Amino acid sequence: MASESRLYTFSPETRDKLRRFRLGTSRAKDPQAVVYQIDKHTLEIAQADETTYTNVQELGDELPDHSPRFILLSYPLTLPSGRLSVPYVLLYYLPVTCNAELRMLYAGAKELMRNTAEVGKVIEIAEAEDLETIEEKLGGAA
């Protein structure tokens, strides 16, 4: 068992929410995102709030300026071939202004979050404005 899985924890409720979100968004017509954070004292990874964002701009407005977050994103888009795709990705939000302790905390949990959430891809973003170009990063038609 990997060391990060002994250090960081997910409650059974959080694991269930992760599974339901993954399965429930696979046929979504609109983008859907939930934000997760790590409790610095208990090292538990949990949903930051009960909000499911359907607007990427609104999500960007809610992200903190100095603290990392994990964002699960299901983003329907049309591929250049004309086919509809709904990528399920982990956005690793790591602002340049966050302190070294938080950087290390989130860096250590990134792969565990990726595997537990069963996402296909991890995309690192440094600022909320990076969300404006998320469709390009996911490979959608311009």
Side-chain angles (χ1 to χ4, degrees):
M1 186 176 267
S3 61
E4 66 268 7
S5 64
R6 291 189 300 266
L7 181 62
Y8 301 97
T9 61
F10 289 92
S11 70
E13 178 184 319
T14 298
R15 286 183 185 273
D16 187 50
K17 283 183 179 180
L18 285 168
R19 184 176 179 278
R20 277 188 276 136
F21 183 75
R22 180 176 54 85
L23 297 174
T25 60
S26 62
R27 302 208 187 283
K29 301 288 184 235
D30 297 312
Q32 294 190 30
V34 288
V35 178
Y36 282 81
Q37 64 186 17
I38 301 174
D39 183 304
K40 282 186 359 181
H41 305 291
T42 65
L43 299 181
E44 181 178 346
I45 302 171
Q47 197 167 333
D49 55 37
E50 294 300 314
T51 307
T52 298
Y53 297 93
T54 56
N55 180 313
V56 178
Q57 181 67 41
E58 187 179 309
L59 170 64
D61 293 343
E62 294 299 318
L63 290 175
D65 292 335
H66 307 293
S67 181
R69 292 291 185 266
F70 294 124
I71 305 156
L72 293 175
L73 176 67
S74 177
Y75 196 96
L77 51 86
T78 303
L79 299 175
S81 65
R83 203 178 99 234
L84 181 66
S85 177
V86 186
Y88 177 59
V89 298
L90 174 65
L91 300 180
Y92 177 41
Y93 173 65
L94 188 65
V96 293
T97 57
C98 76
N99 67 40
E101 179 188 4
L102 286 174
R103 283 181 179 276
M104 293 302 292
L105 185 69
Y106 278 78
K110 181 171 75 168
E111 285 302 313
L112 179 64
M113 182 68 184
R114 173 189 195 148
N115 294 333
T116 305
E118 299 179 50
V119 297
K121 183 177 184 179
V122 176
I123 299 173
E124 295 188 15
I125 59 173
E127 49 191 42
E129 288 77 30
D130 292 344
L131 289 170
E132 294 170 11
T133 60
I134 197 65
E135 191 165 329
E136 291 171 24
K137 293 176 182 171
L138 293 172

